[in-house]
């Protein structure tokens, strides 16, 4: 490593990024000092083990990363809007589409979903926190510092540039000699360990901590979707862990796992990547299915149609998701038998997915539908996702896939799956659960404006890509000549991207506006909803439920409201809660430095940082921490303040 | 004395060390490929069983069903990944 290669140089945009990073890193500590908020930040956020606060931090991080990934996307659209454009050079374009993919999937979609499940799942099952609160904080900080590690690659050393799937041999040291793909293997590894622990945490939480009487088949559908997602995380992420470790060994320690000679096999990387990668798609989509199920049932004022078939189709999807990965590389030279088998398994996934679509439609049938902002996203999801699904079946046919493999058709397809399937889902969930966490709704008028901008612009951006792909435009090409005729549709797509930007700005502006002007909400149940989280006061007390609810049916809260029954019988008792801890944050920082030193192969500092990590683990092993109790008087005081004297 | 000295765990620990040593035989001696893989496979299975039943008490939990469902799922994913990879990348590769 030569020092003149340490900082990325020669690009005005990168200098601008450096300046803004420096300014932000001065402004934040300065602001904290000026407003005397260091203690508040440390005590309330950095050391918290409260699932609600961890959830909020995940969602803030996800919104920031949405901004970063969105700027990447705008730059790509701007570069390809006109033929022979010189806005970005080839290398810069490669780095941008690579980081756009990594950030949007791993550092935007994942934390947004994990954030929502953190906030909602314990509330939906009547629990006071997750099973392992301390581990939950570690998960967050590993995700956060993994994301930061990837983000600094842009200005220090250079970003990964071999695509978000980092195929070998392109991603090998021979063909990608910069440290960019070292960042890939290490940042994803650190964040991935965090995600894996989240999966374990929520599996145990849902299996062990449900309120008395809540049988598995009486859980809200969102909790079901998270249970299944956790299982997929637990079994898919270890494959990524191994693949990334082998990648690191290949690039930095001279092994030959993915080499083209000496018994290595370059295509094994693609194979392992997609053994994780396809289930990963369902990790980000199933929770959104759960969110839609909650929202559609709430705003159609009906119970979810076909509850059991919803559960069984999710289980079927989770098993099938491990059987289809080869469809990502049909054209790599497999025999007819291999491609046929994986075509059939892939098309089979359309069956349980179709069952779910029909269940939502039947839930809507004859419902008293109220068109709130979250409901609009849920309704828009159904037709748009169906286009994504149908083009997915087209791509699943191996022989036809040879025609549009690696073209913009594929790019359009997966955006038609992931944007309605995940992004609309998390935005809908964000609007839906926002009043639970903060005690006021997001403004409906602004929310609907943002919705229409996002939905219409989404189609304007991505529908042209289907046609461009069928006309032969391949993905990841940074420019093209005017004679190809790709210009006009790319320009149309750029127009859509601008519209999407306006939509997201409106969405963020709505958060600001509503914080200042939206009337505060006192009932705790602003949508007249069905599941347990709405039986708590908003904003929530630390302990969620003063008395553990007793449940005997699905949508118990709804029926309790209808029959004027109380879910909370009994007296207040002291509540046992976990203590805050700074250890997860320190561990995250140690992991960040460990990763950074490893990226540059600075072994001695890396060993030191590694020892710090082991030290934090050893400290935890011998730490005595029995949590604390909240006294009955304090519970009474809090409950009276939150619910008013009359209840 | 019996309560202070966990006999089954010590035996378990010793035998898991022993199993690791037996696995080392494969690289220390000149064995045929089939012989080596057999030794590795058998020691790995015994080792996994030892960990699951002795140290992790899978069969002694009230949620036995959940735990075995999970192990079943793990086996499913593991076997699909291994044999699916062999199928896609070797057996079924470029056979026309
Ligand atoms: Cu796939």
């Amino acid at each position: 490593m030569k020092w003149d290669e340490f900082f990325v140089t020669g690009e005005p945009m990168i200098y601008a990024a450096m300046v803004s990073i420096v300014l932000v890193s001065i402004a934040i500590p300065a602001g904290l000092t000026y407003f005397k908020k260091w203690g508040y930040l440390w005590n309330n956020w950095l050391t918290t083990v409260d699932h609600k606060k961890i959830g909020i931090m995940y969602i803030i991080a996800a919104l920031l990363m949405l901004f970063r990934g969105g700027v990447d996307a705008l730059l790509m659209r701007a570069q390809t809007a006109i033929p022979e454009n010189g806005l970005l050079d080839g290398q810069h374009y490669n780095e941008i589409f690579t980081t756009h993919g990594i950030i949007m999937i791993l550092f935007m979609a994942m934390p947004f979903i994990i954030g929502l499940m953190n906030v909602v799942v314990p509330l939906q099952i009547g629990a006071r926190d997750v099973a392992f609160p301390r581990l939950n904080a570690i998960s967050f900080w590993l995700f956060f510092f993994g994301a930061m590690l990837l983000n600094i690659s842009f200005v220090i050393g250079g970003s990964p540039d071999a695509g978000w799937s980092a195929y070998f041999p392109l991603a090998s040291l021979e063909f990608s000699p910069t440290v960019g793909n070292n960042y890939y293997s290490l940042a994803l590894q650190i964040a991935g360990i965090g995600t894996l622990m989240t999966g374990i945490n929520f599996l145990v939480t849902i299996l062990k901590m449900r309120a008395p009487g809540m049988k598995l088949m009486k859980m809200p559908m969102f909790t079901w979707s998270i249970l299944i997602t956790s299982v997929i995380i637990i079994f898919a992420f270890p494959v990524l862990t191994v693949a990334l470790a082998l990648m690191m060994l290949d690039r930095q320690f001279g092994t030959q796992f993915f080499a083209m000679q000496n018994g290595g096999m370059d295509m094994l990387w693609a194979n392992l990547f997609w053994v994780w990668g396809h289930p990963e798609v369902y990790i980000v989509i199933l929770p959104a299915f759960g969110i839609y199920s909650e929202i559609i049932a709430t705003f159609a004022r009906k119970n979810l149609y076909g509850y059991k078939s919803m559960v069984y189709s999710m289980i079927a999807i989770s098993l099938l998701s491990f059987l289809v990965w080869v469809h990502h590389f049909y054209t790599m030279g497999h025999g007819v038998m291999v491609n046929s088998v994986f075509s059939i398994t892939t098309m089979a996934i359309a069956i349980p997915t179709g069952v779910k679509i029909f269940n939502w439609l039947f839930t809507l049938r004859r419902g008293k539908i109220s068109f709130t902002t979250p409901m609009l996203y849920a309704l828009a999801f159904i037709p748009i996702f169906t286009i994504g699904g149908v083009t997915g079946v087209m791509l699943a046919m191996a022989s036809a896939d040879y025609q549009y493999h690696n073209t913009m058709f594929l790019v359009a397809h997966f955006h038609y799956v992931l944007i309605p399937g995940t992004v609309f889902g998390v935005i809908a969930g964000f609007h839906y659960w926002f009043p639970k966490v903060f005690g006021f709704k997001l403004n409906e008028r602004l929310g609907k404006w943002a919705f229409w901008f996002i939905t219409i612009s989404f189609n304007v951006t991505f529908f042209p890509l289907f046609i461009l792909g069928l006309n032969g435009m391949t993905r990841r090409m940074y420019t093209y000549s005017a004679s190809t005729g790709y210009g006009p549709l790319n320009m149309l797509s750029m127009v859509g991207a601008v519209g999407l930007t306006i939509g997201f700005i409106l969405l963020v502006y709505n958060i600001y506006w509503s914080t200042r002007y939206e009337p505060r909400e006192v009932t705790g149940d602003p949508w007249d909803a069905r599941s347990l989280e709405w039986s708590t006061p908003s904003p929530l007390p630390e302990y969620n439920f003063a008395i553990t609810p007793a449940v005997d049916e699905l949508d118990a809260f709804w029926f309790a409201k209808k029959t004027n029954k109380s879910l909370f019988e009994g007296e207040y008792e002291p509540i046992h809660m976990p203590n805050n801890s700074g250890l997860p944050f320190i561990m995250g920082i140690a992991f960040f430095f460990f990763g950074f030193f490893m990226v540059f192969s600075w072994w001695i500092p890396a060993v030191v940082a590694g020892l710090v990590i082991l030290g934090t683990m050893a400290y935890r092993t011998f730490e005595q921490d029995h949590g604390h109790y909240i006294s009955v008087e304090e519970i009474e005081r809090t409950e009276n303040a939150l619910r008013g004297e009359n209840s | 004395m019996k309560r202070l000295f966990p006999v089954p765990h010590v035996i378990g620990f010793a035998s898991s060390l022993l199993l690791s040593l037996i696995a080392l035989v494969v690289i220390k001696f000149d064995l045929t490929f089939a012989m080596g893989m057999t030794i590795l496979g058998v020691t790995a299975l015994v080792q996994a069983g030892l960990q699951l039943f002795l140290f992790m008490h899978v069969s002694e939990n009230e949620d036995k069903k959940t735990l075995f469902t999970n192990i079943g799922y793990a086996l499913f994913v593991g076997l699909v990944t291994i044999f699916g990879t062999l199928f896609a990348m070797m057996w079924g590769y470029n056979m026309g």
Side-chain angles (χ1 to χ4, degrees):
Chain A
M1 180 85 222
K2 291 183 226 78
W3 280 102
D4 57 346
E5 288 170 10
F6 187 70
F7 286 110
V8 181
T9 48
E11 274 261 358
M13 250 182 278
I14 292 177
Y15 289 131
M18 283 180 189
V19 172
S20 57
I21 290 176
V22 171
L23 285 180
V24 169
S25 38
I26 294 171
I28 291 176
L32 286 169
T33 313
Y34 183 78
F35 293 107
K36 301 202 170 59
K37 289 284 186 200
W38 280 106
Y40 166 79
L41 184 69
W42 178 257
N43 294 326
N44 283 286
W45 296 97
L46 301 188
T47 59
T48 189
V49 294
D50 183 332
H51 70 97
K52 302 176 284 292
K53 287 182 175 168
I54 289 175
I56 292 169
M57 291 195 291
Y58 266 118
I59 292 171
I60 293 172
L63 286 170
L64 286 174
M65 289 293 110
L66 178 67
F67 174 76
R68 160 77 213 266
V71 170
D72 285 347
L74 267 181
L75 283 171
M76 278 191 281
R77 286 286 108 223
Q79 165 63 23
T80 51
I82 46 172
E84 317 271 11
N85 197 358
L87 177 69
L88 304 172
D89 61 32
Q91 174 62 23
H92 199 170
Y93 191 79
N94 291 350
E95 294 185 13
I96 282 183
F97 71 65
T98 303
T99 48
H100 169 74
I102 300 169
I103 285 180
M104 286 303 204
I105 296 276
L106 287 146
F107 299 139
M108 190 282 288
M110 291 294 286
F112 217 135
I113 277 160
I114 295 176
L116 286 173
M117 71 200 229
N118 257 290
V119 171
V120 177
V121 167
L123 297 173
Q124 279 200 333
I125 62 174
R128 291 188 170 125
D129 209 317
V130 294
F132 309 112
R134 179 81 75 94
L135 190 71
N136 202 20
I138 295 176
S139 289
F140 171 76
W141 290 113
L142 288 189
F143 145 73
F144 181 83
F145 284 108
M148 289 303 110
L149 186 61
L150 191 90
N151 272 280
I152 60 162
S153 70
F154 190 50
V155 291
I156 300 179
S159 287
D161 53 4
W164 87 283
S165 46
Y167 275 9
F168 277 76
L170 178 60
S172 69
L173 193 59
E174 191 184 351
F175 297 105
S176 298
T178 70
V179 293
N181 281 290
N182 297 353
Y183 274 112
Y184 181 99
S185 66
L186 286 148
L188 265 57
Q189 187 71 286
I190 293 171
I193 295 168
T195 308
L196 183 53
M197 296 192 300
T198 302
I200 295 168
N201 211 339
F202 278 83
L203 180 69
V204 179
T205 305
I206 297 172
L207 288 178
K208 295 296 251 184
M209 296 178 66
R210 298 191 306 276
M214 188 183 276
K215 302 250 171 54
L216 280 177
M217 278 301 184
K218 293 186 171 135
M219 295 196 307
M221 196 49 66
F222 179 67
T223 299
W224 253 116
S225 74
I226 297 303
L227 176 65
I228 292 168
T229 305
S230 303
V231 172
I232 307 181
I233 288 177
I234 292 170
F235 294 115
F237 265 76
V239 182
L240 180 71
T241 306
V242 170
L244 289 171
L246 297 182
M247 177 184 192
M248 182 189 73
L249 291 172
D250 260 22
R251 288 184 53 86
Q252 298 184 266
F253 296 89
T255 58
Q256 311 269 329
F257 291 108
F258 304 128
M260 289 180 290
Q261 62 284 317
N262 302 331
M265 187 192 249
D266 46 353
M267 288 187 307
L268 188 60
W269 165 267
N271 183 72
L272 290 176
F273 181 85
W274 288 113
V275 168
W276 160 79
H278 192 89
E280 166 67 15
V281 176
Y282 288 93
I283 293 170
V284 294
I285 285 183
L286 285 181
F289 285 0
I291 295 170
Y292 292 133
S293 302
E294 300 290 325
I295 288 175
I296 289 175
T298 299
F299 295 114
R301 307 258 167 266
K302 281 174 68 188
N303 60 342
L304 194 62
Y305 184 89
Y307 179 92
K308 272 198 183 145
S309 62
M310 282 295 212
V311 172
Y312 291 131
S313 47
M314 280 199 290
I315 295 173
I317 289 174
S318 86
L319 288 168
L320 281 171
S321 75
F322 284 99
L323 294 170
V324 300
W325 74 93
V326 174
H327 67 209
H328 292 271
F329 45 93
Y330 282 141
T331 56
M332 272 193 186
H334 310 284
V336 175
M337 188 63 188
V338 172
N339 281 358
S340 314
V341 167
F342 284 94
S343 282
I344 292 166
T345 52
T346 303
M347 285 186 248
I349 290 198
I351 300 167
T353 316
V355 169
K356 297 187 73 76
I357 298 266
F358 281 108
N359 280 337
W360 288 315
L361 292 176
F362 283 127
T363 312
L364 290 168
R365 187 167 165 263
R366 299 223 187 130
K368 265 195 268 155
I369 300 174
S370 40
F371 292 93
T372 58
T373 311
M375 186 63 164
L376 286 176
Y377 282 104
L379 294 175
F381 150 77
I382 297 175
I384 300 177
F385 185 79
T386 305
I387 298 177
V390 169
T391 51
V393 176
M394 287 172 70
L395 285 157
M397 295 182 273
S399 40
D401 180 66
Y402 272 80
Q403 196 61 34
Y404 25 65
H405 182 79
N406 228 21
T407 66
M408 292 309 256
F409 185 87
L410 169 79
V411 175
H413 154 71
F414 67 69
H415 284 88
Y416 262 83
V417 171
L418 286 169
I419 292 186
T422 300
V423 181
F424 281 20
V426 292
I427 297 177
F430 182 72
H431 282 81
Y432 181 61
W433 282 301
F434 191 90
K436 179 83 288 175
V437 178
F438 294 105
F440 55 92
K441 282 188 196 176
L442 289 170
N443 182 268
E444 280 288 304
R445 223 177 103 84
L446 275 171
K448 283 175 189 167
W449 272 103
F451 164 78
W452 287 110
F453 259 100
I454 288 173
T455 309
I456 293 170
S457 311
F458 163 76
N459 286 291
V460 176
T461 311
F462 292 102
F463 202 83
L465 304 190
F466 281 125
I467 302 162
L468 281 169
L470 293 178
N471 285 344
M473 183 178 177
T474 54
R475 70 194 292 205
R476 294 172 175 174
M477 54 198 280
Y478 85 102
T479 195
Y480 51 88
S481 70
S483 61
T484 55
Y486 299 152
L489 284 173
N490 271 301
M491 181 50 96
L492 181 62
S493 176
M494 172 70 199
V495 171
V498 172
L500 272 174
T501 313
I502 297 171
F504 283 110
I505 291 173
L506 279 173
L507 199 157
V508 174
Y509 175 70
N510 192 6
I511 302 174
Y512 163 79
W513 193 92
S514 307
T515 310
R516 295 202 58 175
Y517 305 113
E518 194 66 13
R520 304 296 118 155
E521 195 275 317
V522 283
T523 59
D525 180 25
W527 309 112
D528 192 14
R530 316 177 73 84
S531 42
L532 273 184
E533 73 268 35
W534 304 103
S535 70
T536 58
S538 328
L540 287 147
E542 180 197 353
Y543 48 77
N544 299 347
F545 297 91
I547 295 168
T548 308
V551 176
D552 45 17
E553 58 209 320
L554 175 67
D555 294 339
F557 177 57
W558 176 261
F559 290 104
K561 281 192 289 189
K562 294 291 138 207
T563 54
N564 261 327
K565 202 177 76 177
S566 175
L567 292 170
F568 307 102
E569 298 295 346
E571 295 292 305
Y572 292 150
E573 277 165 40
I575 296 174
H576 184 221
M577 295 300 289
N579 284 336
N580 283 358
S581 165
L583 206 64
F585 181 71
I586 294 166
M587 209 169 174
I589 290 182
F591 262 102
F592 175 85
F593 281 102
F594 174 73
F596 184 77
F597 297 140
M598 287 292 288
V599 164
F600 289 93
S601 307
W602 295 341
W603 307 127
I604 293 166
V607 169
V608 174
L611 287 175
V612 175
I613 295 172
L614 290 177
T616 56
M617 291 178 188
Y619 179 86
R620 174 60 175 153
T621 307
F622 296 103
E623 187 185 359
Q624 299 276 339
D625 177 5
H626 299 295
H628 63 276
Y629 278 93
I630 300 175
S631 68
V632 172
E633 299 81 66
E634 199 186 329
I635 299 168
E636 271 168 359
R637 234 180 301 126
T638 318
E639 289 293 304
N640 286 342
L642 286 171
R643 292 183 184 263
E645 300 295 333
N646 51 351
S647 59
Chain B
M1 189 61 199
K2 251 223 161 122
R3 260 189 295 152
L4 288 174
F5 193 77
V7 183
H9 289 87
V10 174
I11 296 175
F13 185 60
S15 34
S16 66
L17 288 179
L18 188 70
L19 283 166
S20 312
L21 283 176
I22 297 174
L24 269 182
V25 166
V26 176
I27 52 165
K28 285 287 168 207
F29 297 94
D30 207 16
L31 297 174
T32 62
F33 181 75
M35 191 63 200
M37 288 311 275
T38 317
I39 294 176
L40 286 181
V42 171
T43 48
L45 277 176
V46 179
Q47 184 79 269
L50 209 64
Q51 300 295 329
L52 281 172
F53 290 97
L54 190 73
F55 290 112
M56 295 160 88
H57 308 276
V58 223
S59 54
E60 295 161 33
N61 196 293
E62 47 183 307
D63 282 342
K64 235 194 264 183
K65 218 178 104 201
T66 322
L67 291 173
F68 282 111
T69 313
N70 258 313
I71 294 173
Y73 203 114
L75 276 175
F76 167 77
V77 175
L79 293 175
V80 161
T81 306
I82 294 166
F83 289 101
T85 299
L86 287 170
F87 173 53
M89 308 309 282
M90 294 178 75
W91 301 333
Y93 195 76
N94 240 345
M95 308 236 298

